[in-house]
Amino acid sequence: MNTARRAASHTLRRSRNSVFFTSSRRCNSTFETRQWSTPLAKSLAHAMKVTGPIPIAAFMRQVLTSPEDGYYTSRPDVFGKHGDFVTSPEISQVFGELVGIWTIAEWMSQGRKKSGVQLMEVGPGKGTLMDDMLRTFRNFKSFTSSVEAIYLVEASATLRGVQKKLLCGEAAMEETDIGHRSTCKYFDVPVIWVEDIRLLPHEEGKTPFIFAHEFFDALPIHAFESVPPSPENELPEQKEIMTPTGPQKLHQPLKVKNTSQWRELLVTLNPKAVEENIEGEPEFRLTKAKASTPTSLVIPEISERYRVLKSKPGSTIEVSPESRIYAADFARRIGGDAASAPSATRQTVDPSVTQKKTPSGAALIMDYGTMSTIPINSLRGIQHHKIVPALSFPGQVDVSADVDFTALAEAAIEGSDGVEVHGPIEQGDFLNAMGITERMEQLIRKAGNDEHKKILETGWKRLVEKSGGSMGQIYKVMAIVPENDGKRRPIGFGGGLQM
């Protein structure tokens, strides 16, 4: 059983064992006979009929990565003009070229490591970004000679095949203990695929350059709403607690104060659709849990940013614990483990990972999200380049949410004492600082005809334009680099090239 299948099975097992406080209504015969929008909609509905509502995170995980019918795991055509959305690397080759130049500049600024360089990308899509970067790297022989491997974190077997064809050509792909392996067509280094970043080597003395483009927006989120104190929230005085060896009496009874609480927003069946069979009604909808759940008691407490909103009834927040885990993992690979990391963060750490003697490498995160505020009500669906309800047509709609960049920065700094974070800055500012104008003008001069010139100019403007919610504004860029007391800002973030 592969990792994706195990993860999906674990999610379903966990949801079946969870206790929710909002029960599903008894379904009549129309439930069994109705025509569901997708096969995955039917599977989710039958699971909810047994378990009741499920967290948004569990819903997202299933609709995006379910082994049989998930959006990314079952379809090769989600990207591009004929798919559902277009990403920056698909718009212009210059995007990937400039990310490659950023990598070279950071490598130079860190002393031009002669070996042990690792290139890592999470969620590489069709492989377009990495392909453009690798073509750029060919012009820097001293850098390519330092690269020992290219690692791609990809859960979809379908997309792995697309990436292999683009990056490795006709070279064979073989199965390994941790995933799959082939050989880069640009220079002789292995390309290694894994389904989870925790399967990647975590070794002392390595210099990882990690890239995440439109990856974090697809990671599962939990949503919560604060509710005011009320008589039904008041719990009786606790005189004993349950321990692994049985109940134990407390010397001083524990009195739980009647305070504001978080309620989780859950995905549930819509009775108007599944029971009354009303045409046009969505099959799934969001509902607010009627009481605290284990998730609502823990997740909103991990950051002071969330805790200060708890006492303000009606406040809503979206939190992605998985995103924080990835950001902390990036930071540890660059700077080593943090001696003072919170226990909630440290429990996810490989115990063999220690503080690196010399922090090295960098991570570049590129996605859409908020500069400093906590995302709210940002869950969205995209199909055929249009915004659609996020809960519709499960498995056939891309479901995503805004990235909380401040949360990523918090997790990175908590995860490692050896890193610092720069940004986020708007994509337009980053690309302009990296020289997109000069590069595009060069390409336009070489363009063979007016149509080609127009395509180049349109793509250029689309990447950097910042008016009316354009990509140059809504997309942000953030860097995690070795800690240096803020003495050296990375190129693109206010710093210059250091040779």
Side-chain angles (χ1 to χ4, degrees), residues 425-460:
I425 61 174
E426 293 177 349
Q427 176 176 287
D429 293 335
F430 175 77
L431 293 177
N432 283 323
M434 291 302 302
I436 190 172
T437 300
E438 293 78 8
R439 176 57 175 153
M440 292 303 300
E441 288 176 345
Q442 182 185 57
L443 289 176
I444 289 171
R445 284 196 300 269
K446 294 180 179 179
N449 54 62
D450 290 342
E451 184 179 354
H452 188 200
K453 288 181 180 180
K454 186 176 181 180
I455 292 173
L456 290 171
E457 288 176 346
T458 301
W460 173 13

Side-chain angles (χ1 to χ4, degrees), residues 124-386:
K126 291 168 62 176
T128 306
L129 174 62
M130 182 59 72
D131 187 62
D132 290 335
M133 291 169 59
L134 294 175
R135 283 191 300 98
T136 303
F137 293 154
R138 287 188 304 179
N139 299 314
F140 300 88
K141 302 298 182 185
S142 56
F143 176 75
T144 58
S145 66
S146 73
V147 177
E148 67 174 26
I150 300 165
Y151 295 97
L152 303 177
V153 180
E154 179 57 72
S156 168
T158 302
L159 288 176
R160 283 199 299 269
V162 174
Q163 296 154 13
K164 182 265 170 190
K165 185 175 181 180
L166 181 62
L167 303 178
C168 306
E170 300 302 318
M173 176 188 275
E174 60 183 13
E175 195 166 347
T176 68
D177 291 341
I178 62 172
H180 297 80
R181 177 188 179 108
S182 188
T183 303
C184 175
K185 69 181 183 183
Y186 292 112
F187 41 94
D188 189 24
V189 297
V191 179
I192 299 167
W193 285 265
V194 297
E195 295 185 3
D196 190 300
I197 196 169
R198 289 170 292 187
L199 296 171
L200 292 182
H202 216 321
E203 306 166 275
E204 170 64 34
K206 303 301 182 182
T207 301
F209 288 96
I210 310 168
F211 310 94
H213 180 264
E214 290 204 42
F215 170 75
F216 283 95
D217 64 274
L219 292 183
I221 65 163
H222 292 266
F224 306 94
E225 181 179 330
S226 176
V227 297
S230 61
E232 59 266 25
N233 289 345
E234 191 164 5
L235 299 177
E237 192 176 75
Q238 278 189 271
K239 297 182 179 180
E240 64 179 23
I241 60 172
M242 183 59 67
T243 72
T245 57
Q248 296 290 327
K249 289 187 177 180
L250 296 171
H251 295 297
Q252 292 184 335
L254 178 63
K255 178 68 174 177
V256 180
K257 293 182 179 180
N258 183 12
T259 61
S260 298
Q261 296 181 6
W262 290 106
R263 293 286 185 268
E264 184 162 14
L265 300 182
L266 307 168
V267 180
T268 187
L269 291 167
N270 181 4
K272 291 184 178 180
V274 302
E275 294 181 20
E276 301 173 32
N277 211 23
I278 298 176
E279 187 175 351
E281 282 287 333
E283 297 163 324
F284 303 96
R285 61 181 176 85
L286 292 178
T287 185
K288 184 167 62 180
K290 294 181 179 178
S292 297
T293 63
T295 305
S296 69
L297 291 171
V298 175
I299 291 179
E301 301 299 322
I302 62 179
S303 171
E304 179 63 21
R305 297 169 69 226
Y306 310 141
R307 292 194 292 269
V308 296
L309 293 173
K310 185 177 180 180
S311 61
K312 300 177 181 179
S315 297
T316 59
I317 57 174
E318 292 173 352
V319 187
S320 175
E322 200 166 326
S323 294
R324 296 178 70 99
I325 290 171
Y326 268 94
D329 183 282
F330 293 177
R332 293 186 191 101
R333 292 177 186 278
I334 296 163
D337 191 13
S340 58
S343 58
T345 302
R346 291 182 62 84
Q347 67 183 1
T348 64
V349 181
D350 184 333
S352 66
V353 179
T354 57
Q355 188 70 24
K356 288 175 75 171
K357 294 177 182 177
T358 305
S360 63
L364 198 64
I365 299 170
M366 302 153 280
D367 224 312
Y368 54 83
T370 57
M371 292 282 272
S372 58
T373 57
I374 300 169
I376 60 171
N377 303 322
S378 72
L379 190 70
R380 64 177 66 81
I382 299 178
Q383 188 178 47
H384 305 317
H385 303 274
K386 295 180 180 179

Side-chain angles (χ1 to χ4, degrees), residues 27-41:
C27 297
N28 59 25
S29 58
T30 61
F31 182 92
E32 302 298 338
T33 59
R34 71 172 281 111
Q35 294 295 313
W36 296 93
S37 60
T38 67
L40 190 53

Side-chain angles (χ1 to χ4, degrees), residues 56 59-60 63-64 71-72 84-85 214 216-219 221 223 286 318 367-370 375-383 385-405 469 474-476:
I56 294 173
F59 181 87
M60 287 184 69
V63 300
L64 295 178
Y71 181 78
Y72 288 110
D84 292 318
F85 56 90
E214 290 204 42
F216 283 95
D217 64 274
L219 292 183
I221 65 163
L286 292 178
E318 292 173 352
D367 224 312
Y368 54 83
T370 57
I376 60 171
N377 303 322
S378 72
L379 190 70
R380 64 177 66 81
I382 299 178
Q383 188 178 47
H385 303 274
K386 295 180 180 179
I387 300 293
V388 299
L391 307 184
S392 63
F393 300 98
Q396 295 180 10
V397 168
D398 177 46
V399 181
S400 62
D402 284 354
V403 175
D404 185 346
F405 279 94
I474 64 173
Y475 282 79
K476 313 297 189 301

